[in-house]
Amino acid sequence: MIRTRKVRVYILRSFGLLLFLSLAGTAALADGETAPARDSKQPVDDAYTAKIHKYTTQPFFTSPLVDYLPASKNVPTPEAVLGDVAGAPGILPYAEDVYKYMRLLEKASPRVKVFSIGKTEEGREMIAVAVSSPENLKNLEENRAQLAKLADPRTIKLDNAEADRIVAQAVPVYYITGTIHSPETGAPTALMELAYRLAVDESPYIREIRDGMITLITPVVEVDGRDRMVDIYRWHLSHPKDFYPPLIYWGKYVAHDNNRDAMGVTLKLTENVLNTYVGWKAQVLHDLHESVPYLYDNTAGDGPFNAWVDPILTDEWEMIGWRNVSDMTKFGMPGVFTHGVFDTWSPGYLMFIAAMHNGISRLYETFGNGGADTLTRTLDPEEYARTWYRQNPPLPKTLWSQRDNNNYEQTGLLTSLHYFNENKRLFLKNFYLKAKRSVTKPGAEGPAAYVLSADDPRLGSQAALLQVLQKQAVEISRATAAFTVTLPVKKSAKPKKDAKETKEKDTPPAPTTREFPAGSYIVRMDQPYSRIADALLDYQYWSPDDPQKTPYDDTGWTFGDLFGVQVTRVTDPKVLDVSVERVKEVRAPAGVSGEGTIYAINNNAEPSLATLRYKLHDASIEAAEEPFDSAGKKFARGSFLLRNVARAQLNDAISDLGLQATPVSAMPSVKTHPVRAARVAFVHTWLSTQAEGWWRIALDNLGIPYDYISTQIIAKTSDLNAKYDVILFPPVGFFSSPTAIINGLPSAWGNPLPWKNTPETPNLVGKNDSTDDMRPGLGWEGVANLQSFVAKGGVLLTATDTSRFALSIGLADGVSVGNAQKLKIVGSVVGTRLVDAASPIAYGYDEKLSAYCDNGPIFSLSSISGARGGRRLGGEMHTRPTGRGTVDDPDFTIGRPGAELPEEPKSEIWENPLLTDEQLHNNFRAIPPADRARVIFRYADSKELLVSGLVEGGDEIAQHPAVIDVPTGNGHVVLFSINPVYRGETRGTYSLVLNTILNFDSLNAGRKLAEK
């Protein structure tokens, strides 16, 4: 029976291939394109090909491009390293094995070159593999120089004729990346075999790709996570009857969010891919993912498209995507589609590196099994439903293998490569035109430039923002003299006019001007990569009425606001006439201005102040609790006063921190308190490490030491105060309910889920944490230990979902969380307002602060223990009950004199409600003023709540507390509704966390108590 089935499958495949070739041959005669067919003169590797057929579960899950493997006497197949064919069941190679094979190819074939492109945070190598003709590879540098002229049309003076000459000669570069998401495991083996095919296959279809373009391949993007995933899979093979642990860590810091770093470029993998794409002057970046049956080209969805991409690109998306669908549908492969529900708005995805640098961004979602097992897969109805954009949907149920997945990945890539090569002159010309349109942007849609003033109080954060732009290959200039620009008139809402008013009375407002000092930075828009700068520095608006109701990711990301620095969008073209110098390295001015025994450093909420505290561990540092003047300068609350430190030592410490120290003759007369180097614990769960990783990388980059411990360690440590002053409990992200945090993963059944290094799993722990069993959570012992820690004087800092958790276990009396009814804030920048400037948490901040929010909890306050604060959505609706008179008159009762009404205490939405004498009488639940929640920042009024992105139903959270300090016992619980540390994009709110750490034992400083 098995042999008969094999014969039938072979006949079906052969018939399908003959049918396709007959159709393709007709197509070739019609339009001159080469048919996808193997070279009959080239031998086939029969044994390898037989295994391809064996591991492919249905004849329509392959194509004539990949259902055979050409033979070579000199070039090894993937089997040389894998021990079987690519996509074989039970085989997942480590990154090192993938690299080993790619280097075997390089050694055996002049058509392959391997390049090292950088290292990960844990020191593992990343590579790029170039496959092309020997002549193309020999002339890489000459070709790169040609492509560089198209990438920067200024070098050819925007000469279209010269561009056409280059376009006719240059060889394009198509860059493919795989396995940025570690549980999506199929791409490395698919790309190993793809590289072999491109190097060995002599069919005209493949030869045209090889001779006509350079295919560049990074087979593993998330190398650290790949090796951990292979560890887990091999553990699964050794324990086939057991549950295996989920991939709790991918890279050192973040998991799925590693594909949201293309704006901030915080991770090494992003930086390495970005440098490779820009350095090679590539035209395409094609990223491979695995979460949708069977191949979904989700590059272009149903909108809204990113507002800053060139319309030429959006046309290219559709051209290539739909051609992909057409070609694979003709092969008879089901489940291939494009469009879908992806909105293509956020530029944070890895593929968007190309979109923001004048190339073509592409992304495949194919169907992976999360390993190399062959499984029966049953789809949800919406996955196999036929829609207008998915006319040939996937099967409701089928047996699916890693080989099937590899077939789809390779077939999609080969048809894309061939179509791109057939039309490479068009795409190269578009590459040039997009770059040219970027250079001519100031005279077209604008703006002319963005200016970052030299008198910004946060020069360190300003430099950090500019360094992000430089990572993006954006040119930064600095003005050599002061200059003035004209700013556009801001439109304001006009009141309704009386009918008698005439138009003559209308006088348009005059434009304003602004002068910028010498040394101000100018990000000119007449440069090739102006679009990424424009996209990061501009504001975003997602309409609540947009037909797309489920944004795929963040909707707002304005970097100037999130970094807390001033950025001015300038449309005045005269800014381009300002005398400037190009800046190679952006550094904030820093150093000590003179000699003294006491030095003052102004506090402008620069994160580097915390770095300094830990650098100068033995220095005596105090924080001023009030502003003061000294040495002719003004110093804000929280400014550092340093003693017992030599000038040279201080100068060395601050030279790279963007801080300036001023000697003062004596300590100021204002009250001060010590700034100590707190002992910090950083807590994570074994549920998810997705969100907290961004906090870890921020602290590591700033040099803030901490112990990284799990909730399980909290449960086992009865005296946390003996070790720690501050416990940070950042957002959990997925599976973050209070019940899940306490209980952990289900443990009433199943086996332990170890996360530790063993001979079977040598890569799991890396530089993170380990446990014998991931399942236990915080437990009630851990809850008690946290409560004890705070009661004895510790500081617990929480954010978003962990703030909900802290409130659920009674750690912050007088604060409650309301349930949103209509609120919809999807990854947006919102406005907050300073409530208590005297709080050490607020040191260095101004009255207005922009922050990142993603449907943060709605906090409300109560002055009575155990009572829920009322979630008030604005002013009171009535000032008096229904009755006689006007709204300002008192009511009356017939038959008796009128009584004087008692004055009702009033409070703002963000405040602790004042209690009446009646409420205070013998009320042991009334919270004493010293123990009531202290609001540091609140959300802005509803009209000023949205800064960038999408805010719908904002009245529900407007004016409610955003950052709260709650005294609890002898300690404090600090609650964030915003997320102050996120994706390397929110440097402007980092100091809310750092101020808490620096002032952990003085958080009550400046507190004013209510009279009652």
Side-chain angles (χ1 to χ4, degrees):
M1 289 292 292
I2 295 175
R3 179 176 294 178
T4 304
R5 181 182 180 277
K6 285 184 177 178
V7 171
R8 287 175 178 170
V9 169
Y10 179 77
I11 292 172
L12 283 169
R13 285 201 179 98
S14 301
F15 176 75
L17 176 60
L18 289 171
L19 177 62
F20 174 80
L21 290 180
S22 65
L23 293 173
T26 304
L29 293 174
D31 58 20
E33 289 189 10
T34 302
R38 74 176 186 84
D39 180 5
S40 59
K41 298 178 183 179
Q42 184 177 24
V44 169
D45 187 323
D46 292 323
Y48 196 107
T49 299
K51 288 185 176 181
I52 291 176
H53 293 173
K54 176 182 178 181
Y55 300 144
T56 299
T57 62
Q58 291 286 354
F60 42 76
F61 288 159
T62 189
S63 74
L65 291 171
V66 298
D67 69 349
Y68 72 96
L69 195 78
S72 172
K73 294 180 180 179
N74 303 316
V75 181
T77 71
E79 192 169 9
V81 169
L82 300 177
D84 207 331
V85 306
I91 295 177
L92 281 187
Y94 287 108
E96 184 179 352
D97 295 325
V98 179
Y99 297 173
K100 178 181 179 181
Y101 176 69
M102 294 301 193
R103 289 187 164 111
L104 286 176
L105 277 183
E106 178 185 38
K107 187 175 181 180
S109 172
R111 297 168 175 175
V112 180
K113 279 186 176 292
V114 178
F115 300 86
S116 183
I117 63 172
K119 298 220 173 148
T120 69
E121 284 82 2
E122 295 189 353
R124 291 180 176 88
E125 184 187 23
M126 292 178 64
I127 68 168
V129 183
V131 188
S132 191
S133 68
E135 182 181 2
N136 288 340
L137 294 181
K138 179 182 177 181
N139 298 319
L140 279 180
E141 291 308 317
E142 293 86 343
N143 187 65
R144 191 199 312 264
Q146 292 287 78
L147 293 176
K149 295 176 183 178
L150 300 180
D152 186 355
R154 296 172 302 180
T155 59
I156 57 173
K157 300 179 180 180
L158 309 185
D159 186 337
N160 290 346
E162 177 63 12
D164 287 340
R165 185 191 68 79
I166 297 170
V167 165
Q169 298 175 355
V171 178
V173 179
Y174 195 111
Y175 188 19
I176 303 167
T177 55
T179 313
I180 186 173
H181 283 168
S182 303
E184 300 167 6
T185 55
T189 50
L191 294 173
M192 291 167 71
E193 190 173 284
L194 179 73
Y196 175 89
R197 293 180 186 279
L198 292 174
V200 170
D201 201 323
E202 296 298 338
S203 69
Y205 192 92
I206 302 298
R207 193 171 62 245
E208 288 174 4
I209 297 172
R210 182 171 59 239
D211 294 343
M213 59 195 296
I214 298 166
T215 302
L216 192 64
I217 301 169
T218 292
V220 184
V221 173
E222 178 53 275
V223 186
D224 299 332
R226 172 66 181 190
D227 286 357
R228 291 190 178 100
M229 185 65 202
V230 175
D231 273 5
I232 287 176
Y233 183 68
R234 293 191 175 190
W235 190 93
H236 155 65
L237 294 179
S238 299
H239 307 81
K241 295 182 180 180
D242 290 342
F243 295 113
Y244 51 88
L247 192 67
I248 189 71
Y249 294 103
W250 299 11
K252 178 180 178 181
Y253 292 111
V254 298
H256 189 273
D257 253 16
N258 61 8
N259 193 36
R260 302 295 187 272
D261 187 46
M263 289 190 278
V265 197
T266 308
L267 304 174
K268 289 295 183 183
L269 64 84
T270 314
E271 187 174 1
N272 294 339
V273 170
L274 170 59
N275 290 341
T276 303
Y277 177 82
V278 172
W280 280 74
K281 311 302 176 187
Q283 285 64 61
V284 182
L285 176 55
H286 193 152
D287 197 26
L288 303 183
H289 291 252
E290 300 171 20
S291 67
V292 178
Y294 298 128
L295 189 150
Y296 169 34
D297 181 340
N298 81 336
T299 304
D302 63 352
F305 287 175
N306 181 276
W308 290 267
V309 300
D310 194 305
I312 294 175
L313 171 59
T314 64
D315 290 343
E316 291 171 321
W317 284 341
E318 306 294 350
M319 291 167 61
I320 302 176
W322 286 110
R323 176 56 185 261
N324 235 173
V325 174
S326 175
D327 284 349
M328 295 182 72
T329 300
K330 291 173 186 175
F331 290 146
M333 303 177 77
V336 180
F337 64 102
T338 187
H339 187 77
V341 297
F342 182 64
D343 54 55
T344 323
W345 173 252
S346 168
Y349 313 106
L350 188 76
M351 68 164 177
F352 244 80
I353 288 172
M356 293 284 100
H357 293 81
N358 302 318
I360 302 173
S361 55
R362 301 204 63 208
L363 189 148
Y364 281 167
E365 294 279 6
T366 56
F367 202 35
N369 285 343
D373 290 357
T374 300
L375 303 171
T376 298
R377 301 295 300 273
T378 303
L379 307 185
D380 294 331
E382 59 268 22
E383 292 180 298
Y384 60 78
R386 185 172 59 84
T387 68
W388 73 263
Y389 56 82
R390 189 173 54 204
Q391 286 290 313
N392 185 14
L395 281 66
K397 184 176 181 179
T398 193
L399 187 67
W400 186 260
S401 67
Q402 182 173 235
R403 182 65 215 187
D404 295 332
N405 185 32
N406 280 188
N407 289 341
Y408 271 77
E409 288 171 311
Q410 289 188 74
T411 300
L413 288 169
L414 287 169
T415 56
S416 290
L417 289 167
H418 192 267
Y419 176 70
F420 187 87
N421 183 65
E422 289 278 348
N423 297 275
K424 62 186 174 186
R425 304 306 167 202
L426 166 68
F427 291 122
L428 281 170
K429 183 62 178 288
N430 285 353
F431 180 65
Y432 160 75
L433 289 175
K434 286 179 287 187
K436 180 180 179 181
R437 284 152 68 104
S438 294
V439 171
T440 59
K441 181 177 173 60
E445 75 271 23
Y450 287 88
V451 179
L452 289 81
S453 181
D455 59 8
D456 192 305
R458 298 184 178 93
L459 294 177
S461 293
Q462 181 190 80
L465 172 53
L466 291 167
Q467 288 161 6
V468 171
L469 294 179
Q470 286 189 314
K471 282 185 178 181
Q472 296 279 5
V474 174
E475 298 167 0
I476 308 296
S477 302
R478 185 165 46 210
T480 58
F483 62 97
T484 301
V485 298
T486 300
L487 301 179
V489 177
K490 289 186 177 181
K491 294 183 180 180
S492 57
K494 295 182 179 180
K496 293 183 179 179
K497 296 181 179 180
D498 189 279
K500 296 181 180 179
E501 290 188 38
T502 60
K503 294 183 179 180
E504 287 75 11
K505 292 183 180 179
D506 291 339
T507 55
T512 59
T513 60
R514 179 172 175 181
E515 183 175 353
F516 292 94
S520 295
Y521 291 100
I522 300 176
V523 184
R524 299 169 61 103
M525 291 292 102
D526 57 346
Q527 59 172 296
Y529 301 140
S530 60
R531 295 200 183 278
I532 180 61
D534 196 16
L536 296 185
L537 299 178
D538 206 351
Y539 290 88
Q540 298 78 42
Y541 177 71
W542 184 301
S543 171
D545 297 326
D546 194 284
Q548 175 62 272
K549 297 303 180 184
T550 55
Y552 200 81
D553 201 69
D554 290 343
T555 59
W557 52 81
T558 306
F559 268 44
D561 285 76
L562 288 177
F563 272 64
V565 301
Q566 303 168 13
V567 177
T568 303
R569 188 177 189 266
V570 178
T571 57
D572 183 355
K574 292 182 180 178
V575 71
L576 300 178
D577 298 328
V578 174
S579 175
V580 298
E581 57 184 4
R582 280 283 299 277
V583 180
K584 291 184 178 180
E585 182 181 10
V586 177
R587 291 176 65 91
V592 182
S593 60
E595 293 284 351
T597 58
I598 304 172
Y599 296 93
I601 300 177
N602 195 27
N603 192 332
N604 287 310
E606 288 280 20
S608 53
L609 276 174
T611 305
L612 179 64
R613 169 64 282 185
Y614 284 93
K615 264 191 170 185
L616 300 177
H617 197 278
D618 296 328
S620 172
I621 303 179
E622 295 187 50
E625 295 184 5
E626 295 292 338
F628 66 92
D629 295 348
S630 185
K633 296 183 179 181
K634 294 184 179 296
F635 293 89
R637 279 190 183 94
S639 292
F640 276 17
L641 295 158
L642 297 92
R643 291 181 289 187
N644 301 328
V645 58
R647 181 187 186 279
Q649 181 188 10
L650 178 58
N651 195 68
D652 288 344
I654 65 176
S655 61
D656 60 346
L657 296 181
L659 298 175
Q660 301 180 62
T662 303
V664 295
S665 58
M667 289 289 288
S669 58
V670 299
K671 189 176 181 181
T672 65
H673 63 255
V675 178
R676 309 183 206 276
R679 302 166 301 163
V680 179
F682 188 114
V683 178
H684 72 90
T685 70
W686 289 103
L687 301 167
S688 171
T689 61
Q690 169 69 350
E692 55 92 352
W694 295 115
W695 289 55
R696 278 190 286 123
I697 195 171
L699 294 180
D700 286 351
N701 288 341
L702 290 167
I704 310 300
Y706 57 88
D707 284 351
Y708 185 56
I709 62 175
S710 74
T711 51
Q712 295 177 359
I713 299 301
I714 294 288
K716 296 175 183 177
T717 309
S718 59
D719 188 4
L720 291 164
N721 303 81
K723 287 183 156 185
Y724 307 113
D725 304 306
V726 178
I727 294 178
L728 303 181
F729 198 177
V732 174
F734 304 116
F735 317 115
S736 60
S737 71
T739 301
I741 291 173
I742 294 171
N743 292 341
L745 299 170
S747 57
W749 58 86
N751 51 276
L753 301 175
W755 188 274
K756 57 195 300 186
N757 284 351
T758 68
E760 282 182 322
T761 56
N763 303 288
L764 276 192
V765 176
K767 297 181 180 180
N768 296 314
D769 204 355
S770 64
T771 180
D772 292 327
D773 188 0
M774 296 170 60
R775 296 177 301 167
L778 178 67
W780 293 108
E781 296 86 355
V783 169
N785 291 341
L786 279 179
Q787 291 171 333
S788 174
F789 169 76
V790 175
K792 292 179 180 178
V795 174
L796 174 65
L797 186 149
T798 62
T800 64
D801 52 30
T802 55
S803 291
R804 292 178 185 271
F805 162 74
L807 295 174
S808 74
I809 62 172
L811 274 176
D813 211 356
V815 184
S816 61
V817 178
N819 294 320
Q821 304 299 319
K822 298 180 181 179
L823 180 67
K824 186 177 182 181
I825 302 178
V826 182
S828 299
V829 187
V830 299
T832 69
R833 299 294 179 262
L834 181 60
V835 174
D836 192 339
S839 166
I841 297 173
Y843 283 168
Y845 282 102
D846 303 319
E847 191 241 334
K848 294 183 177 181
L849 175 66
S850 296
Y852 175 84
C853 180
D854 186 33
N855 276 346
I858 304 172
F859 294 142
S860 293
L861 305 186
S862 172
S863 298
I864 298 177
S865 176
R868 293 180 60 85
R871 187 165 59 88
R872 295 167 285 172
L873 307 182
E876 294 183 22
M877 298 198 52
H878 303 287
T879 56
R880 52 155 286 187
T882 302
R884 68 150 296 276
T886 68
V887 68
D888 297 321
D889 290 329
D891 197 9
F892 73 97
T893 300
I894 294 174
R896 75 181 194 204
E900 184 178 352
L901 299 177
E903 185 177 347
E904 292 289 335
K906 294 182 179 180
S907 59
E908 300 290 353
I909 290 175
W910 61 88
E911 293 178 330
N912 288 287
L914 297 176
L915 299 180
T916 65
D917 291 338
E918 186 75 18
Q919 290 172 312
L920 286 170
H921 177 67
N922 194 36
N923 190 350
F924 51 82
R925 293 173 56 217
I927 303 173
D931 294 324
R932 292 178 192 169
R934 184 182 189 183
V935 176
I936 316 303
F937 277 89
R938 66 170 177 88
Y939 286 102
D941 299 352
S942 59
K943 290 183 179 180
E944 298 180 321
L945 185 60
L946 174 64
V947 175
S948 267
L950 167 64
V951 172
E952 186 175 3
D955 283 351
E956 292 193 327
I957 203 169
Q959 299 188 353
H960 281 259
V963 183
I964 310 175
D965 171 17
V966 186
T968 303
N970 292 320
H972 294 258
V973 176
V974 180
L975 307 167
F976 284 84
S977 173
I978 60 171
N979 187 350
V981 185
Y982 179 75
R983 290 184 179 174
E985 301 171 8
T986 61
R987 187 181 176 92
T989 48
Y990 282 7
S991 286
L992 294 172
V993 175
L994 300 172
N995 282 344
T996 304
I997 295 172
L998 294 175
N999 301 279
F1000 71 95
D1001 53 355
S1002 299
L1003 291 181
N1004 283 329
R1007 181 176 178 122
K1008 294 180 180 179
L1009 303 181
E1011 295 181 2
K1012 293 185 179 181

